[in-house]
Amino acid sequence: MRVSRYLSFWAVLLLTLLLAAGAAAGEMGWWWAVLPGLLTALGIWDMNQRSHAILRNYPLMGHFRFLFEMIRPEMRQYFFESDNDGAPFTRKERSLVYQRAKGEVDSRPFGTELDVKLRGYEWVGHSLSPTIIASHDFRVTVGAERAQPYSMSVFNVSAMSFGALSANAIRALNRGAKKGGFAHDTGEGSISPYHREFGGDLLWQIASGYFGCRNGDGSFNEEKFVAQATSPQVKMITVKLSQGAKPGHGGVLPAAKVTPEISATRGVPMGVDCISPAAHSSFSNPIGLLEFIQKLRTLSGDKPVGFKLCVGHPWEFFGIVKAMLQTGILPDFIVVDGSEGGTGAAPLEFVDHVGMPLQEGLLLVHNTLLGAGLRDRIKIGASGKVITAFDLARTLAIGADWCNSARGFMFSLGCIQSQSCHTDRCPTGVATQDVGRQKALVVPDKAERVYRFHESTLHALQELVQAAGLPHASALRAHHIVRRTSDHEVKLMSDLLHYLQPGDLLNQKYRYPVFEKYWPISRAESFHPAAPIQAGA
């Protein structure tokens, strides 16, 4: 066994000695022995280093293990992955975005490749009396009561910060959004010059770091906020409580990655870690959140202001809704981020096991507002793996008014799902601050692809809505979606998901356990429940 483990090393050593002897005898040049000599030196280093047991036991040959491990994702994606394989997005889903972004034919021949007998398979019920809709430019008005309401597309660019994305990626997204008339969420990294360059509509996200509107100690600065929020390009302001990628987890941009541009955009010093705390310093309870929202609304010139969250403890969101009822202060919108979302890098435990998935989170928010008699006054946005027209239709049917997509628009920019976003070595120049790498992303070309992806997806949604016999995308309801529950049974989603009736919570008609257990103990004055959570609850 020992001989086999060291066979490659002994072979290279022997070759080195033979070549060196030949060179000494004048039969060949010394350069013939250079490469084998270097490999021999590497083998000696392998056997004496203490970090990798594999290399100590298998000098030279052990490096192949690390090489294959490094290229494993690429090998799987390019050679072994089927059209319906791949995570978090399948090859078929990625290809659909690429085709639509490039303006290519996205039709599929020979029928579906999906297993329609598989549990969880879903489809839209179609009508024998389909409609004809004049336009696919589906819109929803947010903040109708505000001085500056916003008519937004039902499909928009979700939150991705400058710093996470390159300058050219931000430029292309905003230029595409400008041409297509849809919104571009800034993410929590504030408004960079690249967001402003082409004048596309912006949704400014204010997170716990208050980037772009902060004092030196990280607290909120009113004057800096006003300077940004009153810009005509900023259409709405979002207070971010949590995000699907890492709910309940703060963030750190290491000092080494804080470039002069990021420093100026976020308002943080160079040479210091850029900290996003896990919680806000401007409020500490539901009433405080709503008062902060009202403050931002006043400072912005009465623009729509809302908040974004990935739902966690249900009693915390119930407390926010109780605060709405108690104070009369309502957000203009709520964005629900599903735990399956996430362009931001996060610990594996947070990626896989923290936060409520979009379906459950959206349903809880929609139901709570419905039961509190507030649903018709507050719009709901939703994000979490939404890239196809069916994703849009399904999410709208559950209870959303509009959808946001992050990774879908990243694919339209050329992202290949290499999952190297956090390494600063993005191969397509989308998620990197490396100047050389981001030059590969040609803004005019990619902006056109962003525009076409949005346009084609909404056109596909129009065709789905027409096939369902509906007059508008806003008419989609849970009973329009069918889900297979076993190999011999299907059900309408309206029979699978539990919905409250308007005013139920006000009348103490809780109907379902989550409301019966947690609504009574939720508080407007605190995110903590009024009574201990009972065992088994």
Side-chain angles (χ1 to χ4, degrees):
M1 291 294 293
R2 183 177 179 86
V3 173
S4 63
R5 286 194 288 117
Y6 290 91
L7 184 60
S8 59
F9 173 72
W10 294 123
V12 170
L13 176 60
L14 179 59
L15 179 61
T16 302
L17 294 175
L18 290 174
L19 292 174
E27 297 177 0
M28 60 183 66
W30 281 98
W31 61 271
W32 283 96
V34 172
L35 180 59
L38 291 175
L39 291 175
T40 300
L42 178 60
I44 294 172
W45 180 86
D46 287 344
M47 289 186 287
N48 288 280
Q49 56 80 37
R50 296 178 179 273
S51 299
H52 302 287
I54 288 177
L55 296 180
R56 285 173 68 88
N57 276 331
Y58 298 90
L60 296 183
M61 286 297 293
H63 288 280
F64 284 100
R65 187 264 182 190
F66 297 107
L67 173 63
F68 293 145
E69 184 181 56
M70 183 176 65
I71 65 174
R72 178 176 176 268
E74 289 80 7
M75 294 289 288
R76 184 176 67 245
Q77 183 177 131
Y78 296 128
F79 296 104
F80 306 112
E81 191 178 88
S82 75
D83 284 348
N84 293 316
D85 288 336
F89 293 92
T90 67
R91 177 180 288 274
K92 178 184 288 186
E93 290 171 325
R94 301 193 307 269
S95 296
L96 179 67
V97 177
Y98 299 148
Q99 289 166 332
R100 286 180 171 168
K102 295 176 183 177
E104 298 175 352
V105 176
D106 60 8
S107 301
R108 297 291 190 274
F110 227 66
T112 182
E113 295 179 354
L114 299 177
D115 184 353
V116 299
K117 298 292 286 183
L118 191 66
R119 181 176 180 178
Y121 173 74
E122 295 175 335
W123 67 92
V124 175
H126 67 280
S127 172
L128 295 180
S129 180
T131 55
I132 298 177
I133 302 174
S135 171
H136 58 258
D137 186 23
F138 300 119
R139 294 194 167 268
V140 56
T141 299
V142 184
E145 300 176 358
R146 306 275 72 81
Q148 301 182 61
Y150 181 50
S151 176
M152 69 186 303
S153 170
V154 299
F155 191 42
N156 305 280
V157 181
S158 195
M160 294 180 286
S161 302
F162 168 60
L165 297 191
S166 68
N168 280 359
I170 296 294
R171 284 185 175 113
L173 288 172
N174 197 257
R175 183 168 174 173
K178 174 69 173 178
K179 182 175 181 178
F182 52 98
H184 179 192
D185 194 312
T186 66
E188 66 178 280
S190 191
I191 307 172
S192 71
Y194 312 111
H195 286 98
R196 298 191 183 279
E197 189 170 332
F198 296 105
D201 291 351
L202 294 178
L203 311 182
W204 186 21
Q205 186 176 111
I206 308 296
S208 56
Y210 304 115
F211 299 128
C213 56
R214 58 185 267 136
N215 295 308
D217 62 357
S219 59
F220 178 71
N221 183 295
E222 292 188 15
E223 292 181 1
K224 292 180 180 179
F225 173 81
V226 171
Q228 302 256 43
T230 53
S231 165
Q233 193 179 351
V234 175
K235 303 301 182 182
M236 305 198 309
I237 295 101
T238 306
V239 178
K240 191 193 88 168
L241 303 181
S242 59
Q243 67 185 89
K246 45 187 174 182
H249 188 283
V252 178
L253 185 66
K257 292 187 177 181
V258 180
T259 66
E261 290 175 313
I262 293 174
S263 173
T265 297
R266 299 194 180 195
V268 297
M270 293 284 293
V272 179
D273 289 344
C274 179
I275 307 294
S276 295
H280 280 258
S281 60
S282 294
F283 55 87
S284 59
N285 58 44
I287 292 177
L289 165 63
L290 296 181
E291 289 174 343
F292 186 62
I293 286 174
Q294 183 59 48
K295 181 179 183 178
L296 299 186
R297 197 147 49 199
T298 302
L299 292 172
S300 68
D302 203 30
K303 291 182 178 180
V305 181
F307 64 89
K308 165 185 169 178
L309 83 167
C310 177
V311 180
H313 298 315
W315 56 85
E316 294 182 347
F317 181 71
F318 294 167
I320 296 174
V321 176
K322 281 189 174 180
M324 297 178 197
L325 296 171
Q326 181 173 316
T327 63
I329 302 173
L330 306 184
D332 295 295
F333 62 90
I334 298 171
V335 177
V336 182
D337 209 8
S339 62
E340 63 269 50
T343 53
L348 180 66
E349 292 83 358
F350 279 79
V351 170
D352 287 347
H353 300 293
V354 179
M356 198 175 286
L358 179 58
Q359 175 178 294
E360 288 71 25
L362 173 58
L363 185 62
L364 183 81
V365 170
H366 171 76
N367 257 337
T368 308
L369 295 179
L370 198 64
L374 301 173
R375 182 63 183 90
D376 60 340
R377 299 180 61 189
I378 300 173
K379 300 301 183 184
I380 299 178
S383 56
K385 294 192 75 174
V386 177
I387 61 170
T388 71
F390 179 75
D391 296 333
L392 277 166
R394 183 184 183 279
T395 307
L396 296 174
I398 292 174
D401 293 297
W402 83 84
C403 295
N404 297 330
S405 176
R407 288 169 292 183
F409 282 100
M410 286 178 70
F411 289 141
S412 74
L413 288 172
C415 168
I416 60 172
Q417 195 169 279
S418 68
Q419 299 186 6
S420 56
C421 311
H422 60 299
T423 67
D424 207 37
R425 296 194 297 272
C426 172
T428 57
V430 176
T432 179
Q433 295 304 303
D434 184 296
V435 176
R437 287 177 179 268
Q438 63 176 288
K439 282 183 178 178
L441 198 159
V442 180
V443 173
D445 174 61
K446 301 306 182 185
E448 191 66 21
R449 295 190 184 193
V450 167
Y451 162 75
R452 282 196 296 254
F453 168 58
H454 177 270
E455 189 80 357
S456 298
T457 303
L458 283 190
H459 177 70
L461 177 63
Q462 176 190 18
E463 293 186 320
L464 284 180
V465 173
Q466 290 176 157
L470 302 174
H472 192 274
S474 61
L476 284 161
R477 295 293 182 270
H479 61 264
H480 294 122
I481 309 296
V482 189
R483 180 185 296 172
R484 179 171 293 285
T485 57
S486 71
D487 61 356
H488 60 277
E489 187 176 18
V490 301
K491 289 185 178 180
L492 298 181
M493 190 176 286
S494 56
D495 294 328
L496 294 171
L497 304 182
H498 301 308
Y499 285 90
L500 293 181
Q501 295 300 311
D504 270 350
L505 296 177
L506 301 178
N507 298 318
Q508 297 184 351
K509 293 182 179 179
Y510 302 128
R511 298 185 188 270
Y512 307 112
V514 67
F515 298 104
E516 183 178 357
K517 293 177 180 178
Y518 304 131
W519 178 262
I521 64 173
S522 61
R523 297 189 290 168
E525 298 79 16
S526 176
F527 287 118
H528 300 292
I533 304 299
Q534 299 298 316

